[in-house]
Amino acid sequence: MLKRRGVVLAGAGLLTAPAVLGQGTYPNRPIRVIVPYTPGAATDAMARLAAQKLSESLGVPVVVDNRAGANGAIGSQAVLAAPADGYTILGSASIHVMARHVMRAAPYDPVEDFAPVARTARGPLVLVMDPRRPEASIPAVVEAAKQDGRRWSFATSSLGSAGHLGTIEFNRVTGANIEIVGYRGSAPALTDVAAGNAQLMFDPALATLPMIRGGQVRGLGIASPGRSPLAPELPTMSEAGLPGFEFYSWYGIWASRHVPPEILARLNAAIVTGMREPATIERLTNLGFEPVAETPAEFAAFIREDVIRNAELLRIANYQPD
């Protein structure tokens, strides 16, 4: 794996695929990207960027269709219910692959029933707090929460999200055992933190940094190995008192597992090409994300490792699916 201009690059040979597959008839009509969450948050933004790059490369309209509800299950099921012809695909985030671990009766297997097409980007989580709280550091927050846990709660955008898993890990390594409250999306969760109805939240920089700058929330740390150039004043979680604490949200495109491999390769090549564009790299960097470009096989291998790691987090926390 190579890193070039901030992009994680892999499977360069796949980029020859358009020349081979371009002789066929796919695609010859609009493609629909179903996003299983509401518009406006990071998952929606990353899916819309992928849709734009697909349209530019494939030469057909690519429409984003938001189908929120049931912790992502409604939109995900809609993809599986559609014909497996590559014209209906899923744009989601890391939460997608954890469905069987956070839902009591998931209506599908996110690993076996879906074919990974491409991972598009990743971004470190940022820990934010109700700005009215007097604590100014993570150690102070942990101490206060241990003294009176009833006055503290963690908001999370949805169960199984990167923010939810990061919160579980925070509770584990600090011993704070702060209550976790699930919301239907980042916007209402962050709104409650800003209003003081919840005190803490992990979420990507796309949503959190504007609110930090606006004073609606206070930034406590970013879960990356180094400080972000977008917010150099924000310490890493290691600097803030939790050595080695790194957590990322990541985003990708999936299709039904019955979609032919040559169509998956066509979609992947179009997305990979778009993620390599300097303008795309700059755009994502300015939003606090790192573009990713890899083959479907590499994406599948990444998913397997990610599920193992996060399932272990849930097991250690004795998490019981809802």
Side-chain angles (χ1 to χ4, degrees):
M1 186 173 289
L2 303 175
K3 284 195 174 183
R4 185 178 306 155
R5 296 183 183 176
V7 186
V8 179
L9 304 178
L14 191 67
L15 295 182
T16 60
V20 176
L21 298 171
Q23 307 296 327
T25 60
Y26 177 87
N28 56 21
R29 56 187 171 87
I31 295 170
R32 181 172 54 145
V33 180
I34 293 182
V35 177
Y37 300 99
T38 56
T43 302
D44 180 67
M46 294 301 105
R48 290 179 185 277
L49 176 60
Q52 176 189 336
K53 296 307 170 185
L54 283 170
S55 182
E56 292 171 356
S57 179
L58 300 177
V60 297
V62 181
V63 181
V64 173
D65 181 2
N66 294 87
R67 299 280 191 94
N71 212 45
I74 291 176
S76 299
Q77 283 184 284
V79 174
L80 296 180
D85 53 11
Y87 288 97
T88 302
I89 57 180
L90 178 71
S92 195
S94 53
I95 181 176
H96 171 68
V97 300
M98 296 303 297
R100 293 190 68 190
H101 296 273
V102 298
M103 298 169 65
R104 189 176 299 278
Y108 50 81
D109 186 318
V111 177
E112 298 299 328
D113 294 340
F114 289 83
V117 174
R119 191 158 57 113
T120 56
R122 69 173 193 167
L125 298 179
V126 175
L127 177 60
V128 297
M129 183 177 69
D130 169 10
R132 286 169 291 274
R133 294 292 312 186
E135 293 78 15
S137 67
I138 289 175
V141 166
V142 172
E143 181 180 356
K146 287 181 176 180
Q147 290 179 354
D148 188 358
R150 295 171 300 177
R151 299 182 60 192
W152 291 88
S153 66
F154 253 112
T156 187
S157 62
S158 51
L159 300 178
S161 66
H164 178 217
L165 295 165
T167 301
I168 289 173
E169 179 68 352
F170 180 94
N171 275 341
R172 185 187 74 83
V173 299
T174 63
N177 197 29
I178 298 172
E179 179 187 11
I180 302 173
V181 180
Y183 286 77
R184 295 190 176 186
S186 290
L190 283 169
T191 297
D192 257 16
V193 175
N197 298 321
Q199 287 67 51
L200 298 161
M201 183 176 178
F202 278 107
D203 213 47
L206 176 67
T208 54
L209 290 187
M211 294 186 71
I212 292 173
R213 296 188 186 108
Q216 294 103 316
V217 296
R218 181 184 305 154
L220 292 177
I222 185 167
S224 57
R227 295 198 180 203
S228 168
L230 300 179
E233 74 285 357
L234 191 64
T236 67
M237 296 294 288
S238 292
E239 293 172 330
L242 295 182
F245 192 102
E246 296 178 17
F247 247 92
Y248 289 82
S249 181
W250 55 265
Y251 308 87
I253 300 293
W254 287 261
S256 163
R257 68 182 178 90
H258 299 295
V259 171
E262 60 270 20
I263 291 179
L264 299 178
R266 184 92 159 97
L267 292 167
N268 174 273
I271 293 172
V272 166
T273 299
M275 290 301 107
R276 289 172 180 259
E277 293 174 357
T280 303
I281 296 171
E282 181 179 7
R283 177 179 174 184
L284 286 173
T285 300
N286 289 338
L287 293 173
F289 293 102
E290 177 184 0
V292 179
E294 59 194 5
T295 68
E298 288 160 343
F299 186 20
F302 170 83
I303 286 173
R304 287 193 295 271
E305 294 176 1
D306 198 59
V307 169
I308 290 171
R309 173 206 184 194
N310 292 327
E312 179 64 9
L313 282 181
L314 294 174
R315 186 194 66 79
I316 292 172
N318 196 29
Y319 175 81
Q320 300 300 315
D322 284 349

PDB file of all heavy atoms in Angstrom, residues 106-126:
ATOM      1  N   ALA A 106     -31.149  -8.310  12.877  1.00  0.00           N
ATOM      2  CA  ALA A 106     -30.810  -7.649  11.619  1.00  0.00           C
ATOM      3  C   ALA A 106     -31.428  -8.416  10.461  1.00  0.00           C
ATOM      4  O   ALA A 106     -31.309  -9.649  10.394  1.00  0.00           O
ATOM      5  CB  ALA A 106     -29.298  -7.574  11.452  1.00  0.00           C
ATOM      6  N   PRO A 107     -32.112  -7.734   9.532  1.00  0.00           N
ATOM      7  CA  PRO A 107     -32.803  -8.430   8.445  1.00  0.00           C
ATOM      8  C   PRO A 107     -31.894  -8.866   7.303  1.00  0.00           C
ATOM      9  O   PRO A 107     -32.379  -9.319   6.272  1.00  0.00           O
ATOM     10  CB  PRO A 107     -33.815  -7.377   7.968  1.00  0.00           C
ATOM     11  CG  PRO A 107     -33.166  -6.067   8.287  1.00  0.00           C
ATOM     12  CD  PRO A 107     -32.373  -6.288   9.546  1.00  0.00           C
ATOM     13  N   TYR A 108     -30.604  -8.721   7.468  1.00  0.00           N
ATOM     14  CA  TYR A 108     -29.638  -9.110   6.441  1.00  0.00           C
ATOM     15  C   TYR A 108     -28.276  -9.277   7.099  1.00  0.00           C
ATOM     16  O   TYR A 108     -28.062  -8.855   8.238  1.00  0.00           O
ATOM     17  CB  TYR A 108     -29.541  -8.048   5.337  1.00  0.00           C
ATOM     18  CG  TYR A 108     -29.351  -6.643   5.876  1.00  0.00           C
ATOM     19  CD1 TYR A 108     -28.091  -6.171   6.269  1.00  0.00           C
ATOM     20  CD2 TYR A 108     -30.443  -5.788   6.027  1.00  0.00           C
ATOM     21  CE1 TYR A 108     -27.921  -4.908   6.787  1.00  0.00           C
ATOM     22  CE2 TYR A 108     -30.279  -4.510   6.551  1.00  0.00           C
ATOM     23  CZ  TYR A 108     -29.020  -4.078   6.924  1.00  0.00           C
ATOM     24  OH  TYR A 108     -28.855  -2.821   7.457  1.00  0.00           O
ATOM     25  N   ASP A 109     -27.375  -9.911   6.383  1.00  0.00           N
ATOM     26  CA  ASP A 109     -25.995 -10.025   6.825  1.00  0.00           C
ATOM     27  C   ASP A 109     -25.187  -8.991   6.042  1.00  0.00           C
ATOM     28  O   ASP A 109     -25.036  -9.125   4.819  1.00  0.00           O
ATOM     29  CB  ASP A 109     -25.458 -11.431   6.553  1.00  0.00           C
ATOM     30  CG  ASP A 109     -24.065 -11.645   7.139  1.00  0.00           C
ATOM     31  OD1 ASP A 109     -23.217 -10.736   7.022  1.00  0.00           O
ATOM     32  OD2 ASP A 109     -23.821 -12.725   7.698  1.00  0.00           O
ATOM     33  N   PRO A 110     -24.670  -7.958   6.691  1.00  0.00           N
ATOM     34  CA  PRO A 110     -24.008  -6.872   5.961  1.00  0.00           C
ATOM     35  C   PRO A 110     -22.723  -7.298   5.266  1.00  0.00           C
ATOM     36  O   PRO A 110     -22.277  -6.624   4.329  1.00  0.00           O
ATOM     37  CB  PRO A 110     -23.731  -5.830   7.042  1.00  0.00           C
ATOM     38  CG  PRO A 110     -23.651  -6.626   8.309  1.00  0.00           C
ATOM     39  CD  PRO A 110     -24.643  -7.730   8.142  1.00  0.00           C
ATOM     40  N   VAL A 111     -22.139  -8.398   5.713  1.00  0.00           N
ATOM     41  CA  VAL A 111     -20.899  -8.876   5.088  1.00  0.00           C
ATOM     42  C   VAL A 111     -21.193  -9.868   3.974  1.00  0.00           C
ATOM     43  O   VAL A 111     -20.636  -9.789   2.883  1.00  0.00           O
ATOM     44  CB  VAL A 111     -19.959  -9.494   6.140  1.00  0.00           C
ATOM     45  CG1 VAL A 111     -18.711 -10.056   5.479  1.00  0.00           C
ATOM     46  CG2 VAL A 111     -19.573  -8.440   7.185  1.00  0.00           C
ATOM     47  N   GLU A 112     -22.096 -10.806   4.221  1.00  0.00           N
ATOM     48  CA  GLU A 112     -22.367 -11.863   3.247  1.00  0.00           C
ATOM     49  C   GLU A 112     -23.335 -11.438   2.147  1.00  0.00           C
ATOM     50  O   GLU A 112     -23.245 -11.922   1.011  1.00  0.00           O
ATOM     51  CB  GLU A 112     -22.917 -13.104   3.961  1.00  0.00           C
ATOM     52  CG  GLU A 112     -21.948 -13.714   4.960  1.00  0.00           C
ATOM     53  CD  GLU A 112     -20.661 -14.186   4.310  1.00  0.00           C
ATOM     54  OE1 GLU A 112     -20.706 -14.615   3.140  1.00  0.00           O
ATOM     55  OE2 GLU A 112     -19.606 -14.116   4.974  1.00  0.00           O
ATOM     56  N   ASP A 113     -24.275 -10.559   2.458  1.00  0.00           N
ATOM     57  CA  ASP A 113     -25.310 -10.199   1.480  1.00  0.00           C
ATOM     58  C   ASP A 113     -24.925  -9.035   0.586  1.00  0.00           C
ATOM     59  O   ASP A 113     -25.601  -8.778  -0.419  1.00  0.00           O
ATOM     60  CB  ASP A 113     -26.618  -9.850   2.200  1.00  0.00           C
ATOM     61  CG  ASP A 113     -27.228 -11.057   2.905  1.00  0.00           C
ATOM     62  OD1 ASP A 113     -26.874 -12.191   2.524  1.00  0.00           O
ATOM     63  OD2 ASP A 113     -28.044 -10.866   3.823  1.00  0.00           O
ATOM     64  N   PHE A 114     -23.850  -8.322   0.935  1.00  0.00           N
ATOM     65  CA  PHE A 114     -23.422  -7.161   0.156  1.00  0.00           C
ATOM     66  C   PHE A 114     -22.019  -7.379  -0.401  1.00  0.00           C
ATOM     67  O   PHE A 114     -21.169  -7.990   0.255  1.00  0.00           O
ATOM     68  CB  PHE A 114     -23.427  -5.900   1.016  1.00  0.00           C
ATOM     69  CG  PHE A 114     -24.795  -5.407   1.384  1.00  0.00           C
ATOM     70  CD1 PHE A 114     -25.477  -5.951   2.473  1.00  0.00           C
ATOM     71  CD2 PHE A 114     -25.414  -4.408   0.647  1.00  0.00           C
ATOM     72  CE1 PHE A 114     -26.738  -5.511   2.814  1.00  0.00           C
ATOM     73  CE2 PHE A 114     -26.680  -3.954   0.989  1.00  0.00           C
ATOM     74  CZ  PHE A 114     -27.348  -4.505   2.067  1.00  0.00           C
ATOM     75  N   ALA A 115     -21.790  -6.860  -1.584  1.00  0.00           N
ATOM     76  CA  ALA A 115     -20.468  -6.899  -2.200  1.00  0.00           C
ATOM     77  C   ALA A 115     -19.791  -5.552  -2.011  1.00  0.00           C
ATOM     78  O   ALA A 115     -20.336  -4.523  -2.439  1.00  0.00           O
ATOM     79  CB  ALA A 115     -20.580  -7.217  -3.689  1.00  0.00           C
ATOM     80  N   PRO A 116     -18.632  -5.482  -1.364  1.00  0.00           N
ATOM     81  CA  PRO A 116     -17.919  -4.217  -1.240  1.00  0.00           C
ATOM     82  C   PRO A 116     -17.483  -3.708  -2.621  1.00  0.00           C
ATOM     83  O   PRO A 116     -16.885  -4.455  -3.399  1.00  0.00           O
ATOM     84  CB  PRO A 116     -16.701  -4.567  -0.371  1.00  0.00           C
ATOM     85  CG  PRO A 116     -17.041  -5.880   0.271  1.00  0.00           C
ATOM     86  CD  PRO A 116     -17.915  -6.586  -0.701  1.00  0.00           C
ATOM     87  N   VAL A 117     -17.790  -2.465  -2.908  1.00  0.00           N
ATOM     88  CA  VAL A 117     -17.386  -1.856  -4.182  1.00  0.00           C
ATOM     89  C   VAL A 117     -16.136  -1.013  -3.991  1.00  0.00           C
ATOM     90  O   VAL A 117     -15.120  -1.228  -4.649  1.00  0.00           O
ATOM     91  CB  VAL A 117     -18.523  -1.001  -4.776  1.00  0.00           C
ATOM     92  CG1 VAL A 117     -18.035  -0.256  -6.029  1.00  0.00           C
ATOM     93  CG2 VAL A 117     -19.725  -1.868  -5.113  1.00  0.00           C
ATOM     94  N   ALA A 118     -16.194  -0.052  -3.076  1.00  0.00           N
ATOM     95  CA  ALA A 118     -15.040   0.822  -2.850  1.00  0.00           C
ATOM     96  C   ALA A 118     -15.190   1.553  -1.534  1.00  0.00           C
ATOM     97  O   ALA A 118     -16.286   2.027  -1.205  1.00  0.00           O
ATOM     98  CB  ALA A 118     -14.893   1.836  -3.979  1.00  0.00           C
ATOM     99  N   ARG A 119     -14.116   1.629  -0.793  1.00  0.00           N
ATOM    100  CA  ARG A 119     -14.057   2.545   0.358  1.00  0.00           C
ATOM    101  C   ARG A 119     -13.616   3.887  -0.189  1.00  0.00           C
ATOM    102  O   ARG A 119     -12.701   3.971  -1.002  1.00  0.00           O
ATOM    103  CB  ARG A 119     -13.074   2.014   1.404  1.00  0.00           C
ATOM    104  CG  ARG A 119     -13.134   2.740   2.745  1.00  0.00           C
ATOM    105  CD  ARG A 119     -12.567   1.895   3.872  1.00  0.00           C
ATOM    106  NE  ARG A 119     -11.208   1.471   3.637  1.00  0.00           N
ATOM    107  CZ  ARG A 119     -10.143   1.882   4.359  1.00  0.00           C
ATOM    108  NH1 ARG A 119     -10.314   2.743   5.348  1.00  0.00           N
ATOM    109  NH2 ARG A 119      -8.942   1.432   4.092  1.00  0.00           N
ATOM    110  N   THR A 120     -14.282   4.951   0.213  1.00  0.00           N
ATOM    111  CA  THR A 120     -14.040   6.258  -0.400  1.00  0.00           C
ATOM    112  C   THR A 120     -13.197   7.196   0.456  1.00  0.00           C
ATOM    113  O   THR A 120     -12.383   7.960  -0.074  1.00  0.00           O
ATOM    114  CB  THR A 120     -15.373   6.952  -0.718  1.00  0.00           C
ATOM    115  OG1 THR A 120     -16.155   7.045   0.489  1.00  0.00           O
ATOM    116  CG2 THR A 120     -16.155   6.166  -1.760  1.00  0.00           C
ATOM    117  N   ALA A 121     -13.391   7.177   1.771  1.00  0.00           N
ATOM    118  CA  ALA A 121     -12.687   8.136   2.630  1.00  0.00           C
ATOM    119  C   ALA A 121     -12.752   7.683   4.073  1.00  0.00           C
ATOM    120  O   ALA A 121     -13.551   6.818   4.449  1.00  0.00           O
ATOM    121  CB  ALA A 121     -13.311   9.527   2.497  1.00  0.00           C
ATOM    122  N   ARG A 122     -11.888   8.269   4.889  1.00  0.00           N
ATOM    123  CA  ARG A 122     -11.943   8.049   6.324  1.00  0.00           C
ATOM    124  C   ARG A 122     -11.614   9.376   7.010  1.00  0.00           C
ATOM    125  O   ARG A 122     -10.957  10.249   6.431  1.00  0.00           O
ATOM    126  CB  ARG A 122     -10.966   6.969   6.775  1.00  0.00           C
ATOM    127  CG  ARG A 122      -9.502   7.360   6.666  1.00  0.00           C
ATOM    128  CD  ARG A 122      -8.603   6.303   7.294  1.00  0.00           C
ATOM    129  NE  ARG A 122      -7.239   6.810   7.476  1.00  0.00           N
ATOM    130  CZ  ARG A 122      -6.317   6.210   8.214  1.00  0.00           C
ATOM    131  NH1 ARG A 122      -6.599   5.094   8.851  1.00  0.00           N
ATOM    132  NH2 ARG A 122      -5.104   6.733   8.350  1.00  0.00           N
ATOM    133  N   GLY A 123     -12.089   9.499   8.243  1.00  0.00           N
ATOM    134  CA  GLY A 123     -11.809  10.720   8.986  1.00  0.00           C
ATOM    135  C   GLY A 123     -11.777  10.448  10.472  1.00  0.00           C
ATOM    136  O   GLY A 123     -12.584   9.654  10.983  1.00  0.00           O
ATOM    137  N   PRO A 124     -10.863  11.072  11.208  1.00  0.00           N
ATOM    138  CA  PRO A 124     -10.782  10.835  12.651  1.00  0.00           C
ATOM    139  C   PRO A 124     -11.963  11.441  13.391  1.00  0.00           C
ATOM    140  O   PRO A 124     -12.532  12.451  12.970  1.00  0.00           O
ATOM    141  CB  PRO A 124      -9.474  11.527  13.042  1.00  0.00           C
ATOM    142  CG  PRO A 124      -9.308  12.612  12.021  1.00  0.00           C
ATOM    143  CD  PRO A 124      -9.864  12.054  10.741  1.00  0.00           C
ATOM    144  N   LEU A 125     -12.328  10.803  14.479  1.00  0.00           N
ATOM    145  CA  LEU A 125     -13.393  11.336  15.316  1.00  0.00           C
ATOM    146  C   LEU A 125     -12.869  12.472  16.181  1.00  0.00           C
ATOM    147  O   LEU A 125     -11.693  12.504  16.548  1.00  0.00           O
ATOM    148  CB  LEU A 125     -13.954  10.232  16.208  1.00  0.00           C
ATOM    149  CG  LEU A 125     -14.593   9.039  15.511  1.00  0.00           C
ATOM    150  CD1 LEU A 125     -15.081   8.032  16.549  1.00  0.00           C
ATOM    151  CD2 LEU A 125     -15.726   9.467  14.601  1.00  0.00           C
ATOM    152  N   VAL A 126     -13.766  13.388  16.510  1.00  0.00           N
ATOM    153  CA  VAL A 126     -13.455  14.507  17.402  1.00  0.00           C
ATOM    154  C   VAL A 126     -14.368  14.396  18.620  1.00  0.00           C
ATOM    155  O   VAL A 126     -15.567  14.145  18.495  1.00  0.00           O
ATOM    156  CB  VAL A 126     -13.671  15.863  16.699  1.00  0.00           C
ATOM    157  CG1 VAL A 126     -13.458  17.023  17.670  1.00  0.00           C
ATOM    158  CG2 VAL A 126     -12.739  15.997  15.494  1.00  0.00           C
TER     159      VAL A 126
END
